[in-house]
Amino acid sequence: MVENPYLDVDKKIVSEIYTSSESMDNLKVLCDVYGSRFGGTPGDFASVKWMVEKLKGYGIENAHYETFKFPGWVRGPARLEVTSPIKREFDCISLPLGLAGEVEAKLVFLGDGPIDIYEKRKDEIEGNVVMVTSRTPLGMTRFLHRSEKYMRSILAGAKGWIFMNHYPAYGPPTGGISPVIPTVAVSYEDGSFLARLLEREKEVKVRITTTDRNREMTSYNVVCDIPGTSDDEEYVLSGSHYDGHDISQGAVDPASGTVTVLEMARVLNMVKDRLKRRIRLLCFGCEEIGLFGSYNYVAQHEDEMDDLRFMLNLDAAGGKGKKGVILHGHPELEPFIERAGKEMRAELPYFQRVSPYSDHWPFFLKGVPTGGGGDPEAIRTRTGRGYGHTRYDTVDKVELGYLRLAAANYSRLLLRAANADEWSARRKTQQEVKEFIEKQGYDQTVALAEKVKEYVRTWGEIHPDTKAWLERKSDW
Ligand SMILES: [Zn+2]
């Protein structure tokens, strides 16, 4: 049996978490009172002020928020009609950061949209409206993100885009895109109807009308520190975004992670006399439409990255499943996780994989050692988001037991990361980061975004929102 040098601290942390319903109480307020907390909505700033006050109420006087500007978006009504050979209108929503526009053209259905299909069917796609599902195609070893399907469709000449849910009964899925061509999302049932119509009639014309507006807005990061007892400058950091999508409460993604961060702040502050180094806790704004909170945080705190031992991202970390760690290419940290799990007598499964789609990514690009909370097995086998990114990601999907497990595992893991006398992970150089990304194949995704920009610049007429997007430096 591995001896637990923090047994007394662990007992304090765990008993505090398991005799309180604080994280569930906070979740209900975040979601039921402040709504989606989508960047730029009234609930965004109101929830930020509430979180700062909560943290101060826990005795963390340094809690505050920091502001940043981001390319914001306001949803307008959207329409999807079949204009030939029948006339019929479908329920749909536009996708965040999409533009206002209208297009009428032939429908091309690409199923799950595997990466080689866009080039293969380019002749059909050219000038027409592409529909793909939200599912990662069978046989792919990585998650095929909506934005990649969208960009590949544009490069093949698509003039409109329909994103179809692959889960029944969850309505249309949402998710940020770029303002290039009119885009809507539909439910599994309506998408299936369109696919059957196309199969029967061979040629179907659709019209998409979107009325969204893009403009600069302000959002926030909530920041607080649990100070360490030594004067060592090194520190650890953990955070989760707090913004959901505008159509949703975003209860699992991200609020279950946000309240886990708040709960960790509460309990770690109670044992701060046993903390050697500082733990910084963060709730990021505007993750959903482009990681704007974390990109801005990293830019605003660039000089603090050298002393950052480890960044643990807890996006949606209080949902169902085991509370392990996904390390982003840091095998040297495995013995630390292994030992921590044994000391804590906790199940702490881990594996190595990195994706660019959450707030660890801006830190990762700066070479900071990063990881994320989650269930390795569930992530390895996942083919989509379920009710995530739909209006059905609501408070009733979250269970107190998982919120407690997340706070108990990750607060104790962070304590150990802050206290370890020897820390094997070090900051990667820019060259090492570049090589790592290339090895994972993500450089192709980066190149894809650049390719789309290059291609769009050749268009005769460019929508003002698209122009503004072209002028922004790449999201990567
Ligand atoms: Zn999230």
Side-chain angles (χ1 to χ4, degrees), residues 26 37 57 148 165 172 195 226 280 290 297 313 354 390 400 471:
N26 285 342
R37 302 142 345 255
E148 192 170 333
N165 209 341
I226 316 295
R280 168 156 285 195
Y297 174 85
N313 185 26
V354 65
T390 77
L400 178 58
E471 282 158 18

PDB file of all heavy atoms in Angstrom, residues 26 37 57 148 165 172 195 226 280 290 297 313 354 390 400 471:
ATOM      1  N   ASN A  26     -24.987  25.645  -6.903  1.00  0.00           N
ATOM      2  CA  ASN A  26     -24.388  26.634  -7.817  1.00  0.00           C
ATOM      3  C   ASN A  26     -24.795  26.373  -9.265  1.00  0.00           C
ATOM      4  O   ASN A  26     -25.037  27.304 -10.028  1.00  0.00           O
ATOM      5  CB  ASN A  26     -22.859  26.599  -7.704  1.00  0.00           C
ATOM      6  CG  ASN A  26     -22.371  27.259  -6.426  1.00  0.00           C
ATOM      7  OD1 ASN A  26     -23.115  28.016  -5.787  1.00  0.00           O
ATOM      8  ND2 ASN A  26     -21.142  26.970  -6.039  1.00  0.00           N
ATOM      9  N   ARG A  37     -25.471  32.084 -20.582  1.00  0.00           N
ATOM     10  CA  ARG A  37     -24.202  32.800 -20.324  1.00  0.00           C
ATOM     11  C   ARG A  37     -23.385  32.940 -21.612  1.00  0.00           C
ATOM     12  O   ARG A  37     -22.171  33.088 -21.593  1.00  0.00           O
ATOM     13  CB  ARG A  37     -23.370  32.108 -19.219  1.00  0.00           C
ATOM     14  CG  ARG A  37     -24.100  32.003 -17.944  1.00  0.00           C
ATOM     15  CD  ARG A  37     -23.949  30.770 -17.113  1.00  0.00           C
ATOM     16  NE  ARG A  37     -23.399  29.595 -17.652  1.00  0.00           N
ATOM     17  CZ  ARG A  37     -24.119  28.506 -17.991  1.00  0.00           C
ATOM     18  NH1 ARG A  37     -25.422  28.486 -17.851  1.00  0.00           N
ATOM     19  NH2 ARG A  37     -23.523  27.452 -18.472  1.00  0.00           N
ATOM     20  N   GLY A  57     -17.233  35.116  -1.130  1.00  0.00           N
ATOM     21  CA  GLY A  57     -17.970  34.529  -0.012  1.00  0.00           C
ATOM     22  C   GLY A  57     -17.255  33.309   0.580  1.00  0.00           C
ATOM     23  O   GLY A  57     -17.422  32.978   1.754  1.00  0.00           O
ATOM     24  N   GLU A 148     -14.369  21.426 -39.511  1.00  0.00           N
ATOM     25  CA  GLU A 148     -13.577  20.822 -40.579  1.00  0.00           C
ATOM     26  C   GLU A 148     -14.473  20.388 -41.752  1.00  0.00           C
ATOM     27  O   GLU A 148     -14.135  20.591 -42.926  1.00  0.00           O
ATOM     28  CB  GLU A 148     -12.774  19.631 -40.038  1.00  0.00           C
ATOM     29  CG  GLU A 148     -11.739  19.161 -41.024  1.00  0.00           C
ATOM     30  CD  GLU A 148     -10.755  18.149 -40.448  1.00  0.00           C
ATOM     31  OE1 GLU A 148     -10.507  18.150 -39.225  1.00  0.00           O
ATOM     32  OE2 GLU A 148     -10.250  17.344 -41.252  1.00  0.00           O
ATOM     33  N   ASN A 165     -28.309  16.868 -37.127  1.00  0.00           N
ATOM     34  CA  ASN A 165     -28.031  16.074 -35.933  1.00  0.00           C
ATOM     35  C   ASN A 165     -28.063  14.584 -36.290  1.00  0.00           C
ATOM     36  O   ASN A 165     -28.875  14.161 -37.093  1.00  0.00           O
ATOM     37  CB  ASN A 165     -29.060  16.362 -34.835  1.00  0.00           C
ATOM     38  CG  ASN A 165     -28.480  16.169 -33.451  1.00  0.00           C
ATOM     39  OD1 ASN A 165     -27.447  15.502 -33.293  1.00  0.00           O
ATOM     40  ND2 ASN A 165     -29.116  16.751 -32.448  1.00  0.00           N
ATOM     41  N   PRO A 172     -32.137  20.448 -33.518  1.00  0.00           N
ATOM     42  CA  PRO A 172     -30.951  20.835 -34.286  1.00  0.00           C
ATOM     43  C   PRO A 172     -29.759  21.123 -33.360  1.00  0.00           C
ATOM     44  O   PRO A 172     -29.943  21.740 -32.321  1.00  0.00           O
ATOM     45  CB  PRO A 172     -31.382  22.131 -34.999  1.00  0.00           C
ATOM     46  CG  PRO A 172     -32.806  22.372 -34.624  1.00  0.00           C
ATOM     47  CD  PRO A 172     -33.153  21.504 -33.459  1.00  0.00           C
ATOM     48  N   ALA A 195     -33.042  13.692 -46.719  1.00  0.00           N
ATOM     49  CA  ALA A 195     -32.228  12.659 -47.363  1.00  0.00           C
ATOM     50  C   ALA A 195     -33.106  11.677 -48.134  1.00  0.00           C
ATOM     51  O   ALA A 195     -32.775  11.264 -49.251  1.00  0.00           O
ATOM     52  CB  ALA A 195     -31.398  11.926 -46.312  1.00  0.00           C
ATOM     53  N   ILE A 226      -5.550  30.667  -4.890  1.00  0.00           N
ATOM     54  CA  ILE A 226      -5.391  30.134  -3.542  1.00  0.00           C
ATOM     55  C   ILE A 226      -3.883  30.200  -3.291  1.00  0.00           C
ATOM     56  O   ILE A 226      -3.120  29.479  -3.956  1.00  0.00           O
ATOM     57  CB  ILE A 226      -5.858  28.658  -3.434  1.00  0.00           C
ATOM     58  CG1 ILE A 226      -7.186  28.430  -4.164  1.00  0.00           C
ATOM     59  CG2 ILE A 226      -5.923  28.229  -1.973  1.00  0.00           C
ATOM     60  CD1 ILE A 226      -8.380  29.141  -3.611  1.00  0.00           C
ATOM     61  N   ARG A 280      -4.066  28.650  -9.185  1.00  0.00           N
ATOM     62  CA  ARG A 280      -4.919  29.660  -9.814  1.00  0.00           C
ATOM     63  C   ARG A 280      -6.128  28.971 -10.431  1.00  0.00           C
ATOM     64  O   ARG A 280      -6.000  27.961 -11.123  1.00  0.00           O
ATOM     65  CB  ARG A 280      -4.136  30.418 -10.889  1.00  0.00           C
ATOM     66  CG  ARG A 280      -5.030  31.270 -11.754  1.00  0.00           C
ATOM     67  CD  ARG A 280      -4.289  32.409 -12.388  1.00  0.00           C
ATOM     68  NE  ARG A 280      -4.021  33.450 -11.400  1.00  0.00           N
ATOM     69  CZ  ARG A 280      -3.651  34.684 -11.705  1.00  0.00           C
ATOM     70  NH1 ARG A 280      -3.469  35.020 -12.964  1.00  0.00           N
ATOM     71  NH2 ARG A 280      -3.444  35.579 -10.777  1.00  0.00           N
ATOM     72  N   GLY A 290     -15.037  30.100 -30.088  1.00  0.00           N
ATOM     73  CA  GLY A 290     -13.663  30.296 -30.564  1.00  0.00           C
ATOM     74  C   GLY A 290     -12.600  30.407 -29.479  1.00  0.00           C
ATOM     75  O   GLY A 290     -11.538  30.979 -29.738  1.00  0.00           O
ATOM     76  N   TYR A 297      -6.784  35.330 -22.150  1.00  0.00           N
ATOM     77  CA  TYR A 297      -6.102  35.161 -20.864  1.00  0.00           C
ATOM     78  C   TYR A 297      -4.608  34.914 -21.097  1.00  0.00           C
ATOM     79  O   TYR A 297      -3.753  35.542 -20.473  1.00  0.00           O
ATOM     80  CB  TYR A 297      -6.709  34.011 -20.054  1.00  0.00           C
ATOM     81  CG  TYR A 297      -5.918  33.756 -18.802  1.00  0.00           C
ATOM     82  CD1 TYR A 297      -6.160  34.501 -17.648  1.00  0.00           C
ATOM     83  CD2 TYR A 297      -4.877  32.826 -18.785  1.00  0.00           C
ATOM     84  CE1 TYR A 297      -5.387  34.326 -16.509  1.00  0.00           C
ATOM     85  CE2 TYR A 297      -4.102  32.641 -17.655  1.00  0.00           C
ATOM     86  CZ  TYR A 297      -4.358  33.388 -16.520  1.00  0.00           C
ATOM     87  OH  TYR A 297      -3.568  33.218 -15.407  1.00  0.00           O
ATOM     88  N   ASN A 313      -7.631  21.440 -17.577  1.00  0.00           N
ATOM     89  CA  ASN A 313      -8.872  21.988 -18.126  1.00  0.00           C
ATOM     90  C   ASN A 313     -10.051  21.103 -17.706  1.00  0.00           C
ATOM     91  O   ASN A 313     -10.013  19.892 -17.894  1.00  0.00           O
ATOM     92  CB  ASN A 313      -8.754  22.038 -19.658  1.00  0.00           C
ATOM     93  CG  ASN A 313      -9.943  22.714 -20.304  1.00  0.00           C
ATOM     94  OD1 ASN A 313     -10.604  23.551 -19.678  1.00  0.00           O
ATOM     95  ND2 ASN A 313     -10.207  22.381 -21.552  1.00  0.00           N
ATOM     96  N   VAL A 354      -4.478  14.789 -27.494  1.00  0.00           N
ATOM     97  CA  VAL A 354      -4.801  16.221 -27.431  1.00  0.00           C
ATOM     98  C   VAL A 354      -5.697  16.593 -28.594  1.00  0.00           C
ATOM     99  O   VAL A 354      -5.555  16.067 -29.697  1.00  0.00           O
ATOM    100  CB  VAL A 354      -3.518  17.089 -27.418  1.00  0.00           C
ATOM    101  CG1 VAL A 354      -2.731  16.972 -28.704  1.00  0.00           C
ATOM    102  CG2 VAL A 354      -3.856  18.553 -27.139  1.00  0.00           C
ATOM    103  N   THR A 390     -27.152  21.126 -27.730  1.00  0.00           N
ATOM    104  CA  THR A 390     -28.555  21.277 -28.115  1.00  0.00           C
ATOM    105  C   THR A 390     -29.277  21.929 -26.935  1.00  0.00           C
ATOM    106  O   THR A 390     -28.711  22.073 -25.848  1.00  0.00           O
ATOM    107  CB  THR A 390     -29.266  19.928 -28.416  1.00  0.00           C
ATOM    108  OG1 THR A 390     -29.586  19.281 -27.174  1.00  0.00           O
ATOM    109  CG2 THR A 390     -28.413  19.012 -29.270  1.00  0.00           C
ATOM    110  N   LEU A 400     -25.459  15.022  -8.781  1.00  0.00           N
ATOM    111  CA  LEU A 400     -24.603  15.507  -7.697  1.00  0.00           C
ATOM    112  C   LEU A 400     -23.418  14.575  -7.445  1.00  0.00           C
ATOM    113  O   LEU A 400     -22.307  15.017  -7.168  1.00  0.00           O
ATOM    114  CB  LEU A 400     -25.441  15.694  -6.418  1.00  0.00           C
ATOM    115  CG  LEU A 400     -24.689  16.156  -5.166  1.00  0.00           C
ATOM    116  CD1 LEU A 400     -23.964  17.476  -5.399  1.00  0.00           C
ATOM    117  CD2 LEU A 400     -25.650  16.283  -3.983  1.00  0.00           C
ATOM    118  N   GLU A 471      -9.787  39.369 -42.084  1.00  0.00           N
ATOM    119  CA  GLU A 471      -8.762  40.267 -41.554  1.00  0.00           C
ATOM    120  C   GLU A 471      -8.260  39.857 -40.173  1.00  0.00           C
ATOM    121  O   GLU A 471      -7.169  40.230 -39.777  1.00  0.00           O
ATOM    122  CB  GLU A 471      -9.296  41.710 -41.497  1.00  0.00           C
ATOM    123  CG  GLU A 471      -9.271  42.363 -42.877  1.00  0.00           C
ATOM    124  CD  GLU A 471     -10.239  43.530 -43.010  1.00  0.00           C
ATOM    125  OE1 GLU A 471     -10.675  44.052 -41.957  1.00  0.00           O
ATOM    126  OE2 GLU A 471     -10.550  43.890 -44.153  1.00  0.00           O
TER     127      GLU A 471
END
